[in-house]
Amino acid sequence: LTIEHNEFGLYFEDDIDTAGTATLLHDADNTLLSQWKLPAVEVLELRNIIPEALICPSLKHLTIDLDRDFPDFFWDIDVLRELFWHVKQSVETLTLKFCRAKISPEEEMRDDSWPVRLLKLKSLSLDIRFQTHKKLLRRVMDMIDAPNTSKMHIYMRHDSQTDDIGPKDWLSGI
């Protein structure tokens, strides 16, 4: 199952405000997603959204792909902690893809900063591309406690001519 938010940069007055931090979901959408019961879903990909909750007790493989290229757009990355909390009993493979992903430089980590213990997680993959901020990576990695992970894959891609952020920054964020 893939759930995706993609508007190709076309924003109108009634659309989601791209200034400030966001999950790209309205409150009503988050409520709807948190009420969906998906007991048989084992594979889920979330593209350009961060729901607060999902009911997927059989979920084994989760992919989160965040890619926004708007100058004033910052992900509300701390919502991922809530999502991890809801899937912690089942997820075995977690793939995180970040491209041009950033958080507000002024935003402080929320008080609920304890990592979520993902005891069944065996494989973690990070796909980090173009202008992703180190602070975002650090925040996400601080959310995850995965003592049984035996496989980790890291892919990094940047443009050395135009990107001021790259592998050295990303590795220090991880």
Side-chain angles (χ1 to χ4, degrees), residues 34-141:
S34 69
Q35 294 172 353
W36 278 7
K37 292 183 172 80
L38 306 166
V41 171
E42 292 186 4
V43 179
L44 177 64
E45 181 173 6
L46 302 171
R47 292 185 189 154
N48 290 322
I49 60 166
I50 307 173
E52 293 174 4
L54 291 169
I55 303 172
C56 299
S58 300
L59 186 64
K60 294 190 183 330
H61 309 284
L62 175 61
T63 298
I64 300 169
D65 187 347
L66 304 179
D67 180 357
R68 295 315 270 176
D69 192 20
F70 300 103
D72 295 331
F73 184 85
F74 302 104
W75 286 104
D76 185 0
I77 206 68
D78 290 329
V79 174
L80 272 180
R81 183 183 323 283
E82 293 298 318
L83 179 60
F84 291 155
W85 184 259
H86 285 277
V87 300
K88 71 178 186 169
Q89 299 297 327
S90 62
V91 74
E92 295 176 6
T93 302
L94 178 60
T95 301
L96 301 170
K97 299 178 180 182
F98 303 115
C99 184
R100 299 178 296 246
K102 55 191 174 186
I103 58 175
S104 173
E106 296 87 35
E107 186 180 342
E108 296 296 322
M109 187 177 276
R110 296 186 185 143
D111 289 337
D112 57 349
S113 60
W114 294 101
V116 177
R117 189 153 236 203
L118 302 171
L119 291 174
K120 292 196 174 190
L121 190 67
K122 293 178 178 30
S123 176
L124 175 63
S125 293
L126 300 172
D127 182 339
I128 308 161
R129 295 169 275 144
F130 308 113
Q131 296 294 329
T132 294
H133 285 194
K134 173 175 91 171
K135 188 175 178 183
L136 177 135
L137 294 171
R138 170 60 24 221
R139 289 274 274 282
V140 171
M141 296 309 292

